[in-house]
Amino acid sequence: MTRLRFMTAGESHGPALTGILEGLPAGLHLEAADLDRDLARRQRGYGRGGRMKIEKDTAEILGGVRFGKTLGSPLALLVRNRDFENWRERMQAAPGGPDPKPVRVPRPGHADLTGGIKYGHTKDLRGVLERASARETAMRVALGAAARVLLRELGIGIGSYVRSIGPAEATPAHDAAPGLYREDAYELGLLADGFETRALDEASSRHLAEAIDEARRRRDTVGGVVEVVATGVPVGLGSHVHWDRRLDARLAGALSSIPAIKAVELGDGFAAAGLYGSEVHDPIHLSAGRLTRARNRAGGLEGGITNGEPLVVRAAMKPIATVPAALGSVDLHALEERSAHVERSDTCAVPAAGIVAEAMVALTLADALLEALGGDTMDALRLPFAKLRLSTRVE
Amino acid sequence: MTRLRFMTAGESHGPALTGILEGLPAGLHLEAADLDRDLARRQRGYGRGGRMKIEKDTAEILGGVRFGKTLGSPLALLVRNRDFENWRERMQAAPGGPDPKPVRVPRPGHADLTGGIKYGHTKDLRGVLERASARETAMRVALGAAARVLLRELGIGIGSYVRSIGPAEATPAHDAAPGLYREDAYELGLLADGFETRALDEASSRHLAEAIDEARRRRDTVGGVVEVVATGVPVGLGSHVHWDRRLDARLAGALSSIPAIKAVELGDGFAAAGLYGSEVHDPIHLSAGRLTRARNRAGGLEGGITNGEPLVVRAAMKPIATVPAALGSVDLHALEERSAHVERSDTCAVPAAGIVAEAMVALTLADALLEALGGDTMDALRLPFAKLRLSTRVE
Amino acid sequence: MTRLRFMTAGESHGPALTGILEGLPAGLHLEAADLDRDLARRQRGYGRGGRMKIEKDTAEILGGVRFGKTLGSPLALLVRNRDFENWRERMQAAPGGPDPKPVRVPRPGHADLTGGIKYGHTKDLRGVLERASARETAMRVALGAAARVLLRELGIGIGSYVRSIGPAEATPAHDAAPGLYREDAYELGLLADGFETRALDEASSRHLAEAIDEARRRRDTVGGVVEVVATGVPVGLGSHVHWDRRLDARLAGALSSIPAIKAVELGDGFAAAGLYGSEVHDPIHLSAGRLTRARNRAGGLEGGITNGEPLVVRAAMKPIATVPAALGSVDLHALEERSAHVERSDTCAVPAAGIVAEAMVALTLADALLEALGGDTMDALRLPFAKLRLSTRVE
Amino acid sequence: MTRLRFMTAGESHGPALTGILEGLPAGLHLEAADLDRDLARRQRGYGRGGRMKIEKDTAEILGGVRFGKTLGSPLALLVRNRDFENWRERMQAAPGGPDPKPVRVPRPGHADLTGGIKYGHTKDLRGVLERASARETAMRVALGAAARVLLRELGIGIGSYVRSIGPAEATPAHDAAPGLYREDAYELGLLADGFETRALDEASSRHLAEAIDEARRRRDTVGGVVEVVATGVPVGLGSHVHWDRRLDARLAGALSSIPAIKAVELGDGFAAAGLYGSEVHDPIHLSAGRLTRARNRAGGLEGGITNGEPLVVRAAMKPIATVPAALGSVDLHALEERSAHVERSDTCAVPAAGIVAEAMVALTLADALLEALGGDTMDALRLPFAKLRLSTRVE
């Protein structure tokens, strides 16, 4: 991301998360409530442990917005960690320490060991896990919410839902909500928000919840698959001309940057690898003066560029690495095999991962949009965007 | 990619492809033959059409190397398009045209339509397809070969093979060649090179070839899945500290930038989303004074950082978009539905995609390595690399 | 900057400035006091108005440091604007406004008009001037202080002083403090701190102060020239191999990014353009087993790379754009010529500019250092740095 | 540079220079002749040695252009080194060597020693000097010519001339050609092309030529100052919102990346540091329904953003480092003091530096323009550009 770019900072039990998003056009209506809405969506979801109740995240806007409108200057956000008071002595920036309870048994699957070795934190892995924690994604959600507002003002809706939890599969959107799937992904996301697992219907949600219950019973954790859809996307975002301009690459990179994501699919993904070309590619039709498609196996992406159909991407999340029953590991101090450290955690974070994935898709799309159209102000963006929208019109 | 970075240019039927790779340490042994070897590997493979015979690609080194050693200055490569003479009038940079045979019926699944709209080439889609062609990946393979040589000099081997073609699956590496899979991915790649489908054994290769034959019989195309493995990778490449430093994100982005790739898996990928945490995460053991793992479901990546186990990634390629029997499309000039343009093409490019994927993995790993260790010269790189190698040693 | 990178945010009268610095090695001793020291140095200086007394800046570390040591994760800083309470209603992020006292007469020389047009703030130029204010540099100073600590731990000292204010010139460092100039730029900066104009001796300081007094008497403002010196810099930072790796380019870009800087010199700068080659280039000698120089007209930079001599750069600052007597301008609402808006301001900010310039030099050098040597931890950095230091040893 | 970006490669006596420029809109008229014109301008100029006669540079377009129009894909250029045949054995990429005539006595002022230490070429400094040579700027000129064509199509003209050579000063543009200086910098550059020193009048040119003659007589070299002007620049390029979006920073960085440039001025530069604010800032007037200025001491830049006035920047070039009479240095093999290596070179390269500076300004402005306005095609760029042009209109 270069036209729009962001950085985040902050440890899980430090005083706060901070983030800066640079490149937003001026004149965009934006309020803290827009950000808090997505922060709240991230905190819901069946399978979360106690922390989600401790901390109701809210974003403070420290820069870039005045009187409810962006200024064109960097958006600066702060999300406080409400639990910090209990951690102050163990997480202070000021000289002190060592922590009376150092973490010395790395959790398999987490950054504990790899980050511990890389950054020299093997005496207390908290130096790693505080930043590697998925808590960091709260700031991405807040920043991504701003990008979502920008896109929505132009008619681009983004939403997600949960496709599966462990072995349990939910009804996919093209069956559960075909209209929203094609026309209004934002509403699709809201529909999912109505179910505690973020499935799209009651039966699916119960089914997914059972998989989470089963994991909890086993004192285990469980992953799953989320799908993100974007509707109203015009033709022409991304590019075939250079490897790192391809929207496929940028989306896959953005989604895979979310902790615990181990796979990404664009459109039909792996299924496309198992079929013949005539089955996979979406024929182009002429209908009512527009170039249209009767199907969307491409997931809205052809040649690294959006094709005007809904963007459809999926991300597979592995189970949370903090397994209550604890995995086999090694105490790096005693140099003996031990059960891994257990940091307070959830059973399943897949519903939340969908919200994070929405944020990353929004940021990536907004970057590609501004790259193509420029846009120092929202007003300057409107006309070229409208033209792009009409670009599949023929005659 | 910032510490090591590259750009490519050139059209499929233009005079040549060019590429620049900046950031290689000085003092690396590098010859054109190192690059040509991978260029030849990319051109082999069952399922290729006539062009692969026309053009035996070779790379000319135009900068960055003297007397067989890198200088530290940018590596500049040129790969001529041997067919250019036949295309000179239709592809000349000099004023002229229009092309007597403009391409006006976009191929579904290709950049033809999306790129045509974005860049204003709807009157002749050749303005898009020449650059969107997978021919561009020849330059990536040549540049990636240089990164492979760098990694190999440090003991990091990279290799790929084909996991499936359409519905046909090959024996995976952990069964077909378990030793190479853990210890020598470079040799694993050479083993695959011995079969025309780049499977790892004769039976698998026949099976895959049949899927290609079947596609050709149907005048159709077919995709598949490739796996790339890297062995000898030390702990500590990539980082958990920031979203765009995570190696997962960088690998997934790099692989998804390859034309026709619609999905990427890191380690167990989607399978990890269907299991419990205790099944997915790889316990850490203490064995002979080293931290070790008995399994590698993580594919060598924990917390966005390499963990010292083999890196394992997979990419799913959709079928080639140029389907001989032609897909339904629209003539953008006549504004009537027509069969799509058919550009000379192959039935299946999956074996070649593995070589391109190796190149992208090599470039990404080399970037992460130089980011962590610096390295203006190969000599300066050796000691810190050796230390990193030993970092899983305890006491 | 790519290996080390930073972003800043925040408006002048908003709640706070925030900044994120990513890429610092882990294990660096860093405390808020290190940052506050430079923040205080920036606030001193003859010629400042009332605001500097209102706001004694202090930095809160919100991320990246634990128990007084960097973690390797992004450093997050917050510098509150103590005057915010008085501005809350006029600068709130929440919907509201318009400001009862909109700014409609742009100040010549400031971003008021250019930014107002670009970002659509012509109805109230406060939308621009709040971010364009030099207050933003407080955050750069805080982030740069961290880079200075890193460099200092390796023996690289950075300091600045004022060369001239308006027509008044101070004694240059090579006369006023030749030893510090060659050996210890950090102490050189402290020496300057002892004088309210940041000259290097009492007589010079009085002379410079008179120029500021004269400007104040005229109800005018005045600029000047600062020099930044870095000692202990090893050979080999930056590179000749690509235009954007050259340290000259990176330093000049970094210094010119400071508001009001209109010129930059490296080494002898303009003077070098007026002499013959034999007078300008610094002969290389062999002395006590080292390659040495008897003079340093190059300012420590040859071919875009540090040469082991002290780095010497200068920046010319124009007078502050808010001139108390007010410049001719146009009321953008009334569309009549009027005197420009006068925002509370200083007479001369040159002494402060030196501190900002130190920060930008520190950040640029630290980036080049980490690019060359890597360095996930301070420990990993020490040995390769020591080798670099010895690289001018021959035998 | 991120929206528009470029890389160059190639050694001075290698087979060729190559370059890639990515991000140009599609549909721009571009021919090799456009590039060759600037390449020829770079090769002229009083004070050049023999090489300029050997090599009449021409650019081959290898990608990105078809039938005289850009495609939107990367522009790939090749400029052959016509002298390569004589150097083939000493500069071959293939294994061989060592060079029978290694360079072991570094030239003070050049990258020889610094690059030699950094990249391990102390046994033969040719490994450095081949890339550090100013020959590399030929490719920048060719790529910059494409940016100049883009800007010119929109009415932005760029030109340069020589202000001084050594102690000799030429008449500045505001006296020698005030009309062109304000209205048509392209023609200003052509006017300078008419004099062998690239001054703007005959008397100045003779004066400058004498300074070069004197240097040659002394077997010495001499530097000078060039000024680059851009006319027709709209308000709004660059930004005050973030340090690295400021156009001042980007221009100063771009100019300082040219070999031998030791100082850069924007507008009045150093002179602005010696005056009072009321003298320096350019009052804003209302005239015929436009916001105008009666003077342009800001050089067209306020707050890091163009203000609609001509952009005026200067760069100071030190004398060429290869001094025929040879400077004192050290033989790195014999470890004895010796006269520095003398590579064939010129007496003065200032006239050529102006052409290189034009190229860097053009690339920087084009990047800022596309960042603000987007522009996948020239057609898409025209309307938003016209609006920007009119933005100083009031009512």
Side-chain angles (χ1 to χ4, degrees):
Chain A
M1 289 181 55
T2 56
R3 180 56 180 74
L4 190 66
R5 54 186 172 161
F6 73 94
M7 292 177 74
T8 71
E11 272 64 47
S12 179
H13 295 99
L17 303 175
T18 68
I20 298 177
L21 176 62
E22 197 272 325
L24 283 179
L28 175 69
H29 287 273
L30 189 70
E31 302 181 32
D34 295 317
L35 317 177
D36 291 347
R37 201 173 304 123
D38 279 353
L39 285 172
R41 294 173 69 219
R42 175 182 166 278
Q43 289 193 289
R44 284 198 291 264
Y46 199 73
R48 312 308 293 275
R51 183 166 189 182
M52 289 301 122
K53 282 152 206 159
I54 298 171
E55 302 187 25
K56 179 145 175 353
D57 289 328
T58 56
E60 291 169 55
I61 298 176
L62 295 182
V65 179
R66 187 182 181 215
F67 299 148
K69 279 185 161 181
T70 55
L71 290 169
S73 52
L75 177 69
L77 301 182
L78 185 84
V79 173
R80 291 179 200 280
N81 294 327
R82 297 185 194 280
D83 205 18
F84 175 57
E85 283 315 314
N86 300 322
W87 284 83
R88 185 182 289 273
E89 270 174 52
R90 295 173 62 193
M91 283 304 296
Q92 68 190 28
D99 191 320
K101 299 189 220 159
V103 179
R104 288 176 166 165
V105 194
R107 289 163 295 172
H110 218 289
D112 295 358
L113 182 59
T114 56
I117 290 174
K118 181 180 180 81
Y119 292 108
H121 294 308
T122 49
K123 285 184 185 164
D124 185 359
L125 301 172
R126 187 163 299 285
V128 175
L129 63 87
E130 283 287 331
R131 178 67 188 161
S133 157
R135 170 128 193 90
E136 174 262 336
T137 61
M139 183 47 71
R140 298 204 215 177
V141 165
L143 297 172
R148 290 184 80 205
V149 170
L150 164 63
L151 295 172
R152 201 159 145 67
E153 183 142 338
L154 297 169
I156 300 174
I158 296 177
S160 70
Y161 69 101
V162 173
R163 285 284 299 248
S164 66
I165 300 280
E169 303 215 4
T171 309
H174 55 79
D175 291 330
L180 299 181
Y181 186 56
R182 283 203 67 82
E183 303 293 341
D184 194 342
Y186 182 82
E187 285 295 325
L188 185 77
L190 296 188
L191 176 61
D193 289 347
F195 299 98
E196 59 187 358
T197 59
R198 301 201 76 250
L200 294 174
D201 61 65
E202 190 58 47
S204 291
S205 189
R206 264 199 310 272
H207 189 44
L208 299 185
E210 279 160 19
I212 297 171
D213 291 340
E214 174 62 19
R216 193 183 286 120
R217 258 192 305 275
R218 292 166 177 246
R219 304 190 59 229
D220 214 324
T221 57
V222 68
V225 176
V226 297
E227 183 165 286
V228 183
V229 183
T231 49
V233 181
V235 177
L237 307 189
S239 177
H240 68 283
V241 300
H242 205 250
W243 73 278
D244 54 3
R245 299 274 189 208
R246 286 182 174 262
L247 196 61
D248 312 52
R250 292 150 77 172
L251 285 167
L255 290 167
S256 302
S257 76
I258 302 170
I261 298 303
K262 297 296 280 187
V264 173
E265 290 187 314
L266 309 156
D268 269 15
F270 274 95
L275 299 171
Y276 294 108
S278 57
E279 299 167 313
V280 168
H281 303 299
D282 307 321
I284 305 168
H285 299 288
L286 190 62
S287 162
R290 273 190 101 99
L291 300 169
T292 62
R293 314 289 178 120
R295 69 185 187 210
N296 180 24
R297 304 204 108 165
L301 289 164
E302 288 177 307
I305 307 175
T306 54
N307 70 358
E309 297 297 303
L311 189 83
V312 182
V313 298
R314 272 177 304 287
M317 186 183 214
K318 67 179 181 183
I320 289 170
T322 305
V323 175
L327 297 161
S329 186
V330 171
D331 185 312
L332 300 180
H333 184 69
L335 293 181
E336 289 173 9
E337 297 201 349
R338 292 272 168 83
S339 287
H341 169 75
V342 177
E343 184 89 356
R344 182 185 53 183
S345 186
D346 307 324
T347 303
C348 177
V350 176
I355 309 302
V356 183
E358 288 178 18
M360 293 307 292
V361 168
L363 289 160
T364 305
L365 280 183
D367 178 43
L369 183 75
L370 295 170
E371 180 182 287
L373 302 183
D376 292 329
T377 66
M378 286 306 291
D379 282 346
L381 204 48
R382 274 179 236 284
L383 181 60
F385 186 79
K387 280 192 185 171
L388 209 59
R389 229 338 129 54
L390 293 173
S391 63
T392 51
R393 275 267 161 76
V394 293
E395 99 272 62
Chain B
M1 291 180 54
T2 56
R3 180 58 179 72
L4 189 66
R5 54 185 171 161
F6 73 93
M7 292 177 73
T8 71
E11 272 63 47
S12 178
H13 295 99
L17 304 174
T18 69
I20 298 176
L21 176 63
E22 197 271 327
L24 284 179
L28 174 69
H29 287 273
L30 189 70
E31 302 182 31
D34 295 316
L35 317 177
D36 291 347
R37 201 174 303 123
D38 278 354
L39 285 172
R41 292 173 71 222
R42 177 183 164 277
Q43 289 193 287
R44 286 197 291 263
Y46 200 70
R48 312 307 293 276
R51 183 166 189 182
M52 288 302 123
K53 282 152 204 159
I54 297 171
E55 301 185 26
K56 180 145 175 354
D57 288 328
T58 55
E60 292 168 54
I61 298 176
L62 296 182
V65 179
R66 187 182 181 215
F67 298 148
K69 278 184 161 184
T70 55
L71 290 169
S73 53
L75 177 68
L77 301 183
L78 184 84
V79 173
R80 291 178 199 280
N81 293 327
R82 297 187 193 279
D83 206 18
F84 175 57
E85 282 315 312
N86 301 321
W87 284 83
R88 184 182 288 274
E89 271 174 50
R90 294 173 64 191
M91 284 304 295
Q92 69 190 28
D99 191 319
K101 298 190 219 160
V103 178
R104 288 176 165 164
V105 194
R107 288 164 296 171
H110 219 289
D112 295 359
L113 182 60
T114 55
I117 290 174
K118 182 179 180 81
Y119 291 109
H121 293 309
T122 49
K123 284 184 185 162
D124 186 0
L125 301 172
R126 186 162 300 284
V128 175
L129 63 88
E130 282 287 331
R131 178 67 187 160
S133 156
R135 170 128 192 88
E136 174 262 336
T137 61
M139 182 46 70
R140 299 204 214 177
V141 166
L143 297 172
R148 293 183 78 205
V149 170
L150 163 64
L151 296 171
R152 200 159 146 67
E153 182 141 339
L154 296 169
I156 300 173
I158 295 177
S160 70
Y161 69 101
V162 174
R163 284 284 297 249
S164 66
I165 300 281
E169 303 214 5
T171 308
H174 54 80
D175 292 330
L180 299 182
Y181 186 57
R182 283 202 67 83
E183 302 293 340
D184 195 342
Y186 182 82
E187 285 294 326
L188 185 77
L190 296 188
L191 175 63
D193 290 346
F195 300 97
E196 58 187 356
T197 60
R198 302 203 74 251
L200 294 174
D201 61 63
E202 190 58 45
S204 292
S205 190
R206 265 197 311 271
H207 189 42
L208 299 185
E210 279 160 20
I212 296 171
D213 291 339
E214 174 61 20
R216 192 184 285 121
R217 257 192 305 276
R218 293 167 177 246
R219 304 191 57 227
D220 215 325
T221 57
V222 69
V225 175
V226 297
E227 184 164 285
V228 183
V229 183
T231 49
V233 181
V235 176
L237 308 190
S239 178
H240 69 284
V241 300
H242 205 252
W243 73 277
D244 54 2
R245 298 273 190 209
R246 285 182 175 263
L247 196 62
D248 311 53
R250 292 150 77 170
L251 285 167
L255 290 167
S256 301
S257 76
I258 303 171
I261 298 303
K262 298 295 282 187
V264 172
E265 291 187 313
L266 308 156
D268 268 16
F270 275 94
L275 299 171
Y276 295 108
S278 58
E279 298 166 313
V280 167
H281 303 297
D282 307 321
I284 305 168
H285 300 287
L286 191 62
S287 162
R290 275 189 99 100
L291 300 169
T292 62
R293 314 290 177 118
R295 69 185 185 210
N296 180 25
R297 302 202 110 167
L301 289 163
E302 287 177 308
I305 308 175
T306 54
N307 70 357
E309 296 298 302
L311 189 84
V312 181
V313 298
R314 273 177 304 286
M317 186 183 214
K318 68 179 180 183
I320 289 170
T322 304
V323 175
L327 298 160
S329 186
V330 171
D331 185 312
L332 300 180
H333 184 69
L335 293 181
E336 289 172 9
E337 297 200 348
R338 293 271 167 84
S339 287
H341 169 75
V342 178
E343 184 90 357
R344 182 185 52 183
S345 186
D346 307 325
T347 302
C348 177
V350 175
I355 309 301
V356 183
E358 288 178 17
M360 293 307 293
V361 168
L363 289 161
T364 304
L365 281 182
D367 178 43
L369 182 76
L370 296 170
E371 181 182 287
L373 302 183
D376 292 331
T377 64
M378 287 305 293
D379 281 345
L381 204 48
R382 273 179 236 284
L383 180 62
F385 185 80
K387 281 191 184 171
L388 209 58
R389 230 336 133 54
L390 293 173
S391 62
T392 50
R393 275 266 163 78
V394 293
E395 101 275 59
Chain C
M1 291 180 55
T2 56
R3 179 59 179 72
L4 188 67
R5 54 185 171 162
F6 72 93
M7 290 177 74
T8 71
E11 272 63 47
S12 179
H13 295 99
L17 303 174
T18 69
I20 298 177
L21 176 62
E22 198 269 328
L24 283 179
L28 175 69
H29 287 273
L30 190 69
E31 301 181 34
D34 296 316
L35 316 177
D36 292 348
R37 200 173 305 124
D38 278 352
L39 285 172
R41 293 175 70 222
R42 174 183 166 278
Q43 289 193 286
R44 283 197 292 263
Y46 199 71
R48 312 306 294 273
R51 184 165 190 182
M52 289 301 122
K53 284 151 206 160
I54 299 172
E55 302 184 25
K56 179 145 176 354
D57 289 328
T58 56
E60 291 169 56
I61 297 176
L62 296 181
V65 179
R66 188 183 182 215
F67 298 147
K69 278 186 162 182
T70 56
L71 290 168
S73 53
L75 176 70
L77 301 183
L78 185 83
V79 173
R80 290 180 201 279
N81 294 327
R82 296 185 195 277
D83 206 18
F84 175 57
E85 281 317 312
N86 301 321
W87 284 83
R88 184 183 288 274
E89 270 174 52
R90 295 173 63 193
M91 283 304 296
Q92 69 189 28
D99 191 318
K101 297 190 219 160
V103 178
R104 288 178 166 163
V105 193
R107 288 164 296 172
H110 218 289
D112 295 359
L113 182 60
T114 55
I117 289 175
K118 181 179 180 83
Y119 291 110
H121 293 309
T122 49
K123 285 183 185 162
D124 186 359
L125 301 172
R126 187 162 300 284
V128 175
L129 62 89
E130 283 286 331
R131 179 66 188 160
S133 157
R135 170 129 192 89
E136 174 261 336
T137 61
M139 183 47 70
R140 298 203 214 177
V141 166
L143 298 171
R148 290 184 80 206
V149 170
L150 163 62
L151 295 172
R152 199 157 146 69
E153 184 141 341
L154 296 169
I156 299 174
I158 295 178
S160 69
Y161 70 101
V162 174
R163 285 284 297 248
S164 66
I165 300 280
E169 303 214 5
T171 307
H174 54 80
D175 292 328
L180 300 181
Y181 186 58
R182 283 202 67 82
E183 302 293 340
D184 194 341
Y186 182 82
E187 285 294 326
L188 184 76
L190 295 188
L191 175 62
D193 289 348
F195 299 97
E196 59 187 356
T197 59
R198 302 202 76 251
L200 294 175
D201 59 67
E202 190 57 46
S204 292
S205 190
R206 264 199 311 271
H207 189 42
L208 299 186
E210 280 160 20
I212 296 171
D213 290 340
E214 173 64 20
R216 193 184 286 119
R217 258 192 304 276
R218 293 167 178 245
R219 304 190 58 229
D220 214 326
T221 56
V222 67
V225 176
V226 297
E227 184 165 285
V228 183
V229 183
T231 48
V233 181
V235 177
L237 307 189
S239 178
H240 69 284
V241 300
H242 205 252
W243 72 277
D244 54 2
R245 299 273 189 207
R246 285 182 175 262
L247 195 63
D248 311 51
R250 293 150 76 172
L251 285 167
L255 289 168
S256 302
S257 76
I258 302 170
I261 298 303
K262 298 296 281 188
V264 173
E265 291 188 312
L266 309 156
D268 268 15
F270 274 95
L275 298 172
Y276 295 107
S278 57
E279 299 167 312
V280 168
H281 305 298
D282 306 322
I284 305 168
H285 300 288
L286 190 63
S287 160
R290 275 189 100 100
L291 299 169
T292 61
R293 313 290 177 119
R295 70 184 186 209
N296 180 25
R297 304 204 109 166
L301 289 163
E302 287 177 308
I305 308 175
T306 54
N307 70 358
E309 297 298 303
L311 189 82
V312 181
V313 297
R314 273 176 305 286
M317 185 184 215
K318 67 178 181 183
I320 289 170
T322 305
V323 174
L327 297 162
S329 185
V330 171
D331 184 312
L332 300 180
H333 184 67
L335 294 181
E336 289 172 11
E337 297 201 348
R338 292 271 169 85
S339 286
H341 169 76
V342 178
E343 185 89 357
R344 183 185 52 186
S345 185
D346 308 324
T347 302
C348 177
V350 175
I355 311 302
V356 183
E358 288 179 18
M360 294 307 294
V361 168
L363 289 160
T364 305
L365 281 183
D367 178 44
L369 182 76
L370 296 169
E371 181 182 288
L373 302 184
D376 291 330
T377 65
M378 286 306 292
D379 282 345
L381 204 49
R382 274 179 236 282
L383 181 60
F385 185 80
K387 281 191 185 172
L388 210 58
R389 228 340 130 53
L390 294 174
S391 63
T392 49
R393 274 267 161 75
V394 292
E395 94 274 63
Chain D
M1 291 182 54
T2 57
R3 179 59 179 73
L4 188 66
R5 54 185 170 162
F6 73 93
M7 291 176 74
T8 71
E11 272 63 48
S12 178
H13 296 99
L17 303 174
T18 69
I20 298 177
L21 176 63
E22 198 271 326
L24 283 179
L28 174 69
H29 287 273
L30 190 70
E31 301 181 34
D34 295 316
L35 316 177
D36 291 348
R37 200 172 305 124
D38 279 353
L39 285 172
R41 294 174 69 221
R42 177 184 166 277
Q43 289 193 287
R44 283 199 291 263
Y46 199 71
R48 314 305 294 276
R51 184 165 188 181
M52 288 301 123
K53 282 153 205 160
I54 297 171
E55 300 186 25
K56 177 143 178 355
D57 288 327
T58 56
E60 291 170 55
I61 299 175
L62 295 182
V65 179
R66 187 185 181 214
F67 299 148
K69 280 183 160 183
T70 56
L71 291 167
S73 52
L75 177 69
L77 300 183
L78 185 83
V79 172
R80 290 179 201 280
N81 294 328
R82 295 186 195 279
D83 205 20
F84 175 56
E85 282 316 312
N86 300 322
W87 284 83
R88 184 181 290 273
E89 269 173 53
R90 296 172 61 192
M91 283 304 297
Q92 69 189 28
D99 190 320
K101 298 189 221 162
V103 178
R104 288 177 167 164
V105 193
R107 289 165 295 172
H110 218 290
D112 295 358
L113 182 61
T114 56
I117 289 175
K118 182 180 179 82
Y119 292 109
H121 293 310
T122 48
K123 285 186 185 161
D124 185 0
L125 301 172
R126 186 162 299 285
V128 176
L129 63 89
E130 283 286 331
R131 178 65 187 160
S133 158
R135 170 131 192 87
E136 176 261 335
T137 61
M139 182 47 70
R140 298 204 214 178
V141 166
L143 297 171
R148 290 185 80 207
V149 169
L150 164 61
L151 295 172
R152 200 158 146 68
E153 182 141 340
L154 297 169
I156 299 173
I158 295 177
S160 70
Y161 69 101
V162 174
R163 285 284 297 248
S164 66
I165 299 282
E169 303 214 5
T171 308
H174 55 79
D175 291 329
L180 299 182
Y181 186 57
R182 281 203 69 81
E183 303 293 340
D184 193 342
Y186 183 82
E187 286 294 326
L188 185 77
L190 295 188
L191 175 61
D193 289 348
F195 299 97
E196 59 188 354
T197 59
R198 300 202 77 249
L200 294 174
D201 59 64
E202 189 58 44
S204 292
S205 190
R206 263 198 311 271
H207 189 44
L208 300 186
E210 279 160 20
I212 297 172
D213 290 341
E214 173 62 20
R216 193 183 286 119
R217 257 193 304 275
R218 291 165 178 249
R219 301 190 62 227
D220 214 324
T221 57
V222 68
V225 175
V226 296
E227 183 165 285
V228 183
V229 183
T231 49
V233 181
V235 177
L237 307 189
S239 178
H240 68 285
V241 301
H242 205 253
W243 73 278
D244 55 2
R245 298 274 190 209
R246 286 183 175 261
L247 196 61
D248 312 52
R250 292 149 79 173
L251 285 167
L255 289 168
S256 301
S257 76
I258 302 171
I261 298 302
K262 297 297 280 189
V264 173
E265 291 187 313
L266 308 156
D268 268 15
F270 274 94
L275 300 171
Y276 294 108
S278 58
E279 298 167 312
V280 167
H281 304 298
D282 307 320
I284 305 169
H285 300 288
L286 190 63
S287 161
R290 276 190 99 100
L291 300 169
T292 62
R293 313 289 177 118
R295 69 184 187 209
N296 181 27
R297 303 202 110 165
L301 289 163
E302 287 177 307
I305 308 176
T306 54
N307 70 358
E309 297 298 303
L311 189 85
V312 181
V313 297
R314 271 177 305 286
M317 185 182 214
K318 68 178 181 183
I320 289 171
T322 305
V323 174
L327 298 161
S329 187
V330 171
D331 185 313
L332 300 180
H333 184 69
L335 293 181
E336 290 173 9
E337 297 202 349
R338 291 272 168 84
S339 286
H341 169 75
V342 179
E343 184 90 355
R344 182 185 52 185
S345 185
D346 306 325
T347 302
C348 177
V350 176
I355 310 301
V356 183
E358 288 179 19
M360 294 307 292
V361 169
L363 289 160
T364 305
L365 280 183
D367 179 43
L369 182 76
L370 296 169
E371 181 182 287
L373 302 183
D376 291 330
T377 65
M378 286 305 293
D379 281 345
L381 203 49
R382 274 179 237 283
L383 181 60
F385 185 80
K387 281 191 185 174
L388 210 58
R389 230 336 132 54
L390 293 174
S391 62
T392 49
R393 274 267 160 75
V394 293
E395 104 274 60

